[in-house]
Amino acid sequence: MSLTFEHTTLGQRVLFGSGKAAEHLAAEVARLGATNIMVIASDFELKMARSVAAGIDVALWHTDVVMHVPIETAQAARTAAGDAGIDLVVCVGGGSTTGLAKAVALTTGIPVVAVPTTYAGSEATNVWGLTEAARKTTGVDDRVLPTAVIYDAELTLSLPVDMSVASGLNGMAHCIDSLWGPRADPINAALAAEGIRALAQGLPKIKNDPSGLPGREQALYGAYLSAVAFASAGSGMHHKICHVLGGTFNLPHAQTHATVLPYVLAFNATEAPDAEARIAAAFGADTATDGLARLRETLDAPKALKDYGFTAANIAEAVAVALPSIPANNPRKVTAANLTALLTAALNGENPKSLSDLS
């Protein structure tokens, strides 16, 4: 059978090297000719950000970072950038920090250099997200794609093991969702499979040796691949659900993705045999669900949404908000009834395999 597909590869410079973040950032600032730089970093990561930015002149430090990027937080950062005449935004941190930098870029067009400290992957996509009145809105705009990404595994050494696990599984969710996203294609699939393999190798190494670099380098590499695949394939069922859980109920981003992932995989796997086989092979397992379950057991991954504040009383609203946004090309038809069953299972940490028999 001949191949017929359309694929877009986003243009972005990637610099990868442990212990090289400050050197690489100074080089990027020089290359871009930026003279008025804003650095976004949370209070928690400000000390690290100052170290990364030691070789550049910073005009404005901005530390008002909030999970899920509330619109008020975004507008404050945009105003600060405009008032200071900023010509480059540097973000040092996880997905919330990167998301705020993207929010600035979305309306101002100011370029972004991202220095990620987690495995979220947002730094390699042109997807933005903002929360307003308990609803998270996402969109795609090339203005928010960081012009360069600087990966330095040393910056992730302070990320605790449990957060490393949750963040890494968030990256894996990008990979798996890419295999049935609305623009899924063979190139995305190849990138996603390699991302799964790298994350599956790297995350157990982080758990066994949190201060070692090999596992963290593999996880960063896998997270980048996951994001590139996701940016091209688009947001699938998993991400549509998790955006609602985060934006509407303020659940923690990485832990929510890590918890929901096995349920969406089990729900879709039987109706997506090619994707299932590719995922299983990337895990080196007989089935995709077994491979993910084995990894999650090794990592002691997040298990139930109830552990993060989600309740049975929230399910009906979550279904009502999420259901219309799930892509029509999802391998399995999604209904209010089976989505309710999926969220109920995820709420209580039930065996995901029960979802394969739902009608």
Side-chain angles (χ1 to χ4, degrees):
M1 181 181 295
S2 63
L3 291 176
T4 303
F5 62 89
E6 179 179 324
H7 176 85
T8 300
T9 298
L10 301 176
Q12 184 179 62
R13 182 175 171 87
V14 175
L15 298 99
F16 204 110
S18 295
K20 294 183 176 295
E23 172 189 340
H24 283 159
L25 178 58
E28 277 305 287
V29 168
R31 182 179 73 88
L32 295 169
T35 58
N36 217 21
I37 302 165
M38 174 184 189
V39 175
I40 298 177
S42 68
D43 286 324
F44 176 75
E45 295 187 300
L46 184 57
K47 181 179 179 181
M48 179 187 295
R50 290 190 184 280
S51 176
V52 171
I56 64 173
D57 292 326
V58 177
L60 178 63
W61 293 90
H62 189 87
T63 60
D64 183 18
V65 177
V66 182
M67 185 172 63
H68 303 305
V69 196
I71 187 67
E72 299 82 5
T73 304
Q75 289 172 343
R78 292 164 175 168
T79 299
D83 290 347
I86 297 301
D87 60 2
L88 177 68
V89 174
V90 174
C91 54
V92 182
S96 298
T97 305
T98 306
L100 181 57
K102 286 181 167 185
V104 173
L106 180 64
T107 57
T108 67
I110 299 171
V112 174
V113 172
V115 187
T117 61
T118 70
Y119 312 112
S122 175
E123 68 279 352
T125 79
N126 58 352
V127 179
W128 56 266
L130 293 168
T131 301
E132 183 175 11
R135 291 291 184 268
K136 186 168 185 176
T137 301
T138 61
V140 175
D141 193 308
D142 286 346
R143 287 178 297 179
V144 309
L145 178 73
T147 188
V149 184
I150 296 169
Y151 289 107
D152 183 341
E154 287 189 3
L155 303 182
T156 69
L157 289 173
S158 61
L159 191 66
V161 169
D162 60 341
M163 274 304 301
S164 296
V165 166
S167 182
L169 289 174
N170 178 21
M172 188 163 287
H174 287 104
C175 294
I176 290 174
D177 230 17
S178 296
L179 293 169
W180 45 59
R183 299 184 301 277
D185 66 42
I187 297 175
N188 301 330
L191 293 169
E194 174 64 1
I196 292 169
R197 184 205 64 77
L199 286 162
Q201 286 194 359
L203 292 176
K205 290 180 181 178
I206 293 173
K207 183 174 177 63
N208 293 333
D209 182 16
S211 62
L213 288 175
R216 293 186 180 273
E217 288 179 339
Q218 280 293 302
L220 271 182
Y221 164 64
Y224 169 72
L225 291 174
S226 76
V228 173
F230 178 75
S232 178
S235 184
M237 176 183 180
H238 171 88
H239 280 77
K240 295 301 185 181
I241 293 171
C242 290
H243 287 160
V244 170
L245 295 177
T248 304
F249 304 102
N250 203 34
L251 270 61
H253 185 84
Q255 292 90 336
T256 299
H257 281 270
T259 302
V260 171
L261 179 59
Y263 297 97
V264 174
L265 176 58
F267 181 86
N268 275 341
T270 56
E271 300 300 321
D274 291 343
E276 196 281 334
R278 192 180 288 268
I279 296 166
F283 279 125
D286 291 336
T287 69
T289 53
D290 285 347
L292 180 59
R294 185 176 64 195
L295 177 65
R296 286 173 50 81
E297 183 176 1
T298 297
L299 299 175
D300 191 23
K303 296 178 175 63
L305 291 176
K306 63 184 179 183
D307 296 334
Y308 303 102
F310 193 63
T311 70
N314 299 140
I315 290 177
E317 183 181 2
V319 170
V321 178
L323 188 60
S325 68
I326 293 175
N329 77 313
N330 191 69
R332 189 173 181 183
K333 182 176 176 57
V334 184
T335 65
N338 60 32
L339 183 53
T340 297
L342 186 155
L343 287 173
T344 301
L347 169 71
N348 298 312
E350 298 170 11
N351 188 338
K353 288 187 177 181
S354 63
L355 297 172
S356 60
D357 298 326
L358 289 175
S359 59

